Amino acid sequence: MPARTWELSLLLLLELGLGSQEALPPSCESQIYCHGELLHQVQMAKLYQDDKQFVDMPLCLAPDQVMQRFNELVSTHNHSIPQQQLQLFLKEHFQAVGQELESWTPEDWKDSPRFLQKISDPKLRAWAGQLHQLWKKLGKKVKPEVLLHPEQFSLIYSQHPFIVPGGRFLEFYYWDSYWVMEGLLLSEMSETVKGMLQNFLDLVQTYGHVPNGARVYYLQRSQPPLLTLMMNRYVTHTNDTAFLRDNIGTLALELDFWAENRNISVSSRGKTYILNRYHVPYGGPRPESYSKDAELADLLPEGDRETLWAELKAGAESGWDFSSRWLIGSPNPDLLSSIRTSKLVPVDLNAFLCQAEDLMSNFYTSLGNDSQAMKYRNLREQRLVAMKAILWDEEKGAWFDYDLENGKKNQEFYPSNLAPLWADCFSDLSVVDKALKYLEDSQILTYQHGIPTSLRNTAQQWDFPNAWAPLQDLVIRGLAKSPSPKTQEVAFQLAQNWIRTNFDVYSQKSAMYEKYDISNGGQPGGGGEYEVQEGFGWTNGVVLMLLDRYGDRLSSGTQAAFPEPHYLAAALLLSLPLSLLPQ
Ligand SMILES: *[C@@H]1O[C@H](CO)[C@@H](O)[C@H](O)[C@H]1NC(C)=O
Ligand SMILES: *[C@@H]1O[C@H](CO)[C@@H](O)[C@H](O)[C@H]1NC(C)=O
Ligand SMILES: *[C@@H]1O[C@H](CO)[C@@H](O)[C@H](O)[C@H]1NC(C)=O
Ligand SMILES: *[C@@H]1O[C@H](CO)[C@@H](O)[C@H](O)[C@H]1NC(C)=O
């Protein structure tokens, strides 16, 4: 593709908000990795298959020198740099992706963690052993030169080594890390968990919040807030209350960020409630998906583009990038350009915060600080009331995202609709059995390979037919809280379905994936902005959790956990044993 002409570039720069009065502040400050003409020229030239590649490349020189050389090049070519020259420039001034990281074998990795012995099926036990081995492949450490010359890297320095998701994700991510840590604790690697926690706490100290991931281009947005829960899991596992005492103030700081910058008031029946939403009021295309965001904006009138970019970033902050969930209620719910993340009050975000408030009040109680414990207990109480008033639907037996502009709930199915069960954010256990009925009514239990992300088949990755590990965990552990054996049995069957899908794909491909396509007998997932990635941190974490919890019953065999309804009907009619039916 030819480089754009100067005229076009200028037009685009104007469109990108650099010349417009309503410009939102840029995503971050780096004139190379976050905004500016160099980023624009390189990304729009589409030299790489994935826009993330360029913004991950370290510099060979100081950014000022690189910019000076670039400005010379730009003026030599009158802002229309031929592709070959641009490539040569990159080769001379940038290093290959991943140079700033080295692989790291966790020091607390050991051969036979105890939980493996709880897994009865020998094939599943062997598989769990291989997943345990994978921590060594996913371990990374930042090289010291990033500390010495942070300006030459988009990677944010972190003092302690960590586990990454894998594939294109060479750095650590916020909400992914929670499920990674659950797996690490089963692998008896609490020192690794502590280091990762310390990295997150350091980010809160430096930036006031946990960024989406450890790159400068992720700085202005966060991800689903699970830091308090991470701390809870670590402290429960180790009894390291000294670490909790030292860092409780930083946890509070993170929750302040959500309270101050992500609050939204909602009125209903004459009362006003405060809840939270995802909201990222920063302009410009996301640097790591620059050309896609820029081209998407071309479909809109100039005045609407900054808002589109902000809503895309809010979608990324939700962790669900992207999904029909954030398009609902717009005049064009099939177009990503109608994304309106910040206009919805999400069930899962509020459940996560409700849980964090509960944990904080317990933490403060255990540290003997009653006034702070009271503060968080009150915050949780207020949130419970607000969630019941705004998000809960008694008739349907679930919670639903609230659409602020249309003044109503979004009644589509998403596993996140049951997040309050998982997060212990309810006051009456009877809601758990209502949730089972909700799943039955939504026909979710007919899917044999995993719980779908939504029932809308779009090209987005957080939609049907993709299924994601953390969402399986939300539903399974939510249902498992029920005192009813029937509901608990459904939780087990859902776990069995998910384990089988992951195990079958692993048996074929020797790899774990970030998501699975459940429409096709269970395959690596697809859709969205990039190719499906192997690794994979949170998928491994959830599999290990399920194998730990249900290891005495789970099977690697091929019998379907929920027989297809028509087979079931046929079996009843013919009184055949189910095991004789085709699978
Ligand atoms: C640079 O490009 C612009 C726009 O295409 C053109 O108007 C101008 O004459 C060019 N300048 C030079 C020195 O070639
Ligand atoms: C933590 O403390 C509790 C209560 O004192 C004790 O039962 C438990 O065994 C301890 N766990 C560890 C890992 O030391
Ligand atoms: C709620 O958000 C607004 C900005 O949107 C902020 O000015 C206000 O201080 C926040 N409220 C609280 C209680 O932090
Ligand atoms: C409780 O925590 C708050 C906030 O960190 C602090 O100001 C206060 O002194 C603490 N109170 C006690 C009794 O430790």
Side-chain angles (χ1 to χ4, degrees):
M1 153 175 290
R4 300 221 179 214
T5 64
W6 161 231
E7 252 170 352
L8 267 176
S9 295
L10 179 64
L11 200 67
L12 262 153
L13 287 176
L14 287 173
E15 286 170 4
L16 296 180
L18 298 185
S20 130
Q21 285 182 327
E22 305 155 63
L24 292 166
S27 280
C28 63
E29 272 150 39
S30 163
Q31 55 189 337
I32 290 170
Y33 295 119
C34 297
H35 60 94
E37 188 173 1
L38 170 54
L39 178 70
H40 181 76
Q41 293 254 355
V42 173
Q43 297 291 42
M44 297 315 289
K46 299 195 183 177
L47 303 173
Y48 310 103
Q49 212 185 357
D50 182 342
D51 284 354
K52 189 170 183 302
Q53 181 162 344
F54 168 62
V55 288
D56 287 355
M57 287 160 52
L59 295 172
C60 302
L61 302 170
D64 286 349
Q65 285 171 285
V66 174
M67 280 316 292
Q68 196 187 338
R69 305 266 180 93
F70 177 76
N71 290 335
E72 284 160 19
L73 186 68
V74 151
S75 58
T76 309
H77 296 283
N78 197 7
H79 296 269
S80 172
I81 307 165
Q83 187 160 328
Q84 235 180 346
Q85 254 83 354
L86 194 57
Q87 255 157 346
L88 195 62
F89 172 82
L90 293 177
K91 207 166 156 226
E92 283 171 356
H93 298 91
F94 289 81
Q95 303 175 50
V97 159
Q99 294 300 304
E100 73 279 53
L101 289 155
E102 47 192 89
S103 36
W104 169 72
T105 304
E107 281 135 39
D108 52 356
W109 191 92
K110 61 168 153 193
D111 240 329
S112 307
R114 285 180 295 265
F115 85 100
L116 292 176
Q117 298 318 312
K118 291 166 67 180
I119 305 169
S120 337
D121 183 315
K123 286 187 189 160
L124 293 182
R125 193 182 328 121
W127 178 42
Q130 288 172 26
L131 300 186
H132 172 66
Q133 293 278 347
L134 279 179
W135 299 132
K136 294 191 281 189
K137 246 175 108 176
L138 298 174
K140 299 273 181 249
K141 181 171 149 181
V142 183
K143 288 186 187 166
E145 54 250 44
V146 181
L147 184 59
L148 289 174
H149 297 288
E151 68 288 352
Q152 294 187 23
F153 303 88
S154 66
L155 190 74
I156 298 171
Y157 182 75
S158 28
Q159 201 184 340
H160 302 278
F162 44 83
I163 302 293
V164 301
R168 81 200 272 267
F169 305 111
L170 299 167
E171 54 286 318
F172 62 81
Y173 284 76
Y174 184 5
W175 78 317
D176 290 65
S177 297
Y178 162 68
W179 284 277
V180 167
M181 288 179 186
E182 289 281 7
L184 291 172
L185 290 175
L186 287 168
S187 288
E188 297 169 33
M189 294 164 66
S190 56
E191 276 307 300
T192 297
V193 171
K194 185 179 190 173
M196 290 175 70
L197 258 171
Q198 187 68 64
N199 290 337
F200 284 121
L201 294 161
D202 290 346
L203 287 168
V204 176
Q205 283 295 331
T206 309
Y207 302 106
H209 67 278
V210 180
N212 183 142
R215 293 273 178 187
V216 292
Y217 53 74
Y218 289 141
L219 273 179
Q220 309 291 14
R221 61 183 200 241
S222 191
Q223 244 187 351
L226 297 172
L227 180 59
T228 311
L229 179 60
M230 294 175 194
M231 176 66 93
N232 175 251
R233 297 296 298 121
Y234 170 74
V235 174
T236 308
H237 200 86
T238 59
N239 286 342
D240 187 354
T241 41
F243 188 69
L244 174 64
R245 179 172 291 115
D246 289 347
N247 293 293
I248 184 91
T250 311
L251 296 179
L253 214 56
E254 202 235 349
L255 293 181
D256 290 349
F257 166 82
W258 289 90
E260 283 161 20
N261 302 286
R262 301 291 187 264
N263 71 59
I264 186 76
S265 64
V266 193
S267 297
S268 167
R269 296 169 206 226
K271 286 197 184 146
T272 301
Y273 304 90
I274 306 282
L275 285 164
N276 291 76
R277 60 173 173 164
Y278 296 109
H279 179 51
V280 184
Y282 289 90
R286 289 167 300 150
E288 79 286 6
S289 298
Y290 194 100
S291 64
K292 289 204 165 71
D293 286 6
E295 284 164 8
L296 192 61
D298 284 344
L299 306 172
L300 295 185
E302 221 174 289
D304 295 343
R305 293 175 184 170
E306 291 273 295
T307 306
L308 167 66
W309 289 320
E311 292 293 356
L312 287 168
K313 292 187 185 101
E317 183 171 80
S318 80
W320 288 48
D321 39 336
F322 291 108
S323 170
S324 60
R325 190 179 166 199
W326 308 130
L327 302 172
I328 209 84
S330 83
N332 283 310
D334 297 325
L335 297 179
L336 185 56
S337 54
S338 6
I339 185 165
R340 50 198 289 280
T341 320
S342 73
K343 303 296 186 286
L344 293 148
V345 181
V347 173
D348 43 359
L349 171 60
N350 285 285
F352 296 148
L353 290 170
C354 174
Q355 180 180 51
E357 286 155 357
D358 192 30
L359 295 172
M360 286 298 275
S361 102
N362 296 341
F363 286 161
Y364 274 116
T365 301
S366 73
L367 297 174
N369 191 329
D370 293 337
S371 60
Q372 288 300 103
M374 173 87 82
K375 169 184 153 177
Y376 283 99
R377 209 161 28 247
N378 288 339
L379 286 172
R380 176 171 190 268
E381 284 308 316
Q382 285 165 28
R383 191 182 299 276
L384 278 173
V385 170
M387 287 177 71
K388 190 161 186 194
I390 306 296
L391 308 177
W392 171 250
D393 188 319
E394 178 69 26
E395 198 183 317
K396 293 214 152 57
W399 295 261
F400 295 93
D401 296 345
Y402 183 79
D403 182 337
L404 292 160
E405 282 180 335
N406 298 311
K408 61 179 189 195
K409 298 185 185 89
N410 170 15
Q411 298 201 332
E412 296 277 325
F413 169 79
Y414 313 104
S416 52
N417 292 348
L418 298 179
L421 298 182
W422 178 90
D424 280 318
C425 189
F426 54 86
S427 26
D428 176 357
L429 257 182
S430 70
V431 296
V432 189
D433 296 323
K434 289 187 182 142
L436 175 59
K437 181 165 182 304
Y438 167 67
L439 289 176
E440 283 166 349
D441 293 348
S442 319
Q443 308 203 331
I444 296 310
L445 304 183
T446 61
Y447 295 96
Q448 295 183 33
H449 302 284
I451 304 158
T453 311
S454 77
L455 298 179
R456 287 192 181 229
N457 196 340
T458 69
Q460 301 303 333
Q461 61 169 349
W462 288 84
D463 268 318
F464 192 88
N466 282 341
W468 294 79
L471 303 184
Q472 312 300 309
D473 180 46
L474 285 188
V475 175
I476 292 168
R477 276 202 288 157
L479 291 181
K481 292 195 172 146
S482 168
S484 133
K486 181 182 170 211
T487 309
Q488 286 191 27
E489 187 58 18
V490 172
F492 166 74
Q493 294 293 356
L494 291 169
Q496 175 68 75
N497 288 351
W498 185 246
I499 287 295
R500 191 167 284 129
T501 298
N502 283 234
F503 179 76
D504 287 351
V505 173
Y506 187 86
S507 305
Q508 292 159 31
K509 315 229 173 218
S510 299
M512 298 296 289
Y513 290 86
E514 82 173 328
K515 58 188 179 247
Y516 292 85
D517 173 347
I518 59 164
S519 67
N520 195 12
Q523 290 298 318
E529 302 182 293
Y530 51 81
E531 296 299 311
V532 66
Q533 303 295 307
E534 286 181 25
F536 196 92
W538 67 10
T539 311
N540 305 359
V542 169
V543 163
L544 296 183
M545 286 172 85
L546 296 175
L547 289 173
D548 174 60
R549 182 173 193 131
Y550 297 114
D552 57 337
R553 299 178 64 196
L554 286 169
S555 144
S556 59
T558 51
Q559 191 195 340
F562 294 115
E564 294 275 9
H566 57 277
Y567 292 159
L568 193 59
L572 290 174
L573 269 175
L574 303 171
S575 301
L576 280 175
L578 281 176
S579 56
L580 295 181
L581 290 168
Q583 300 300 335

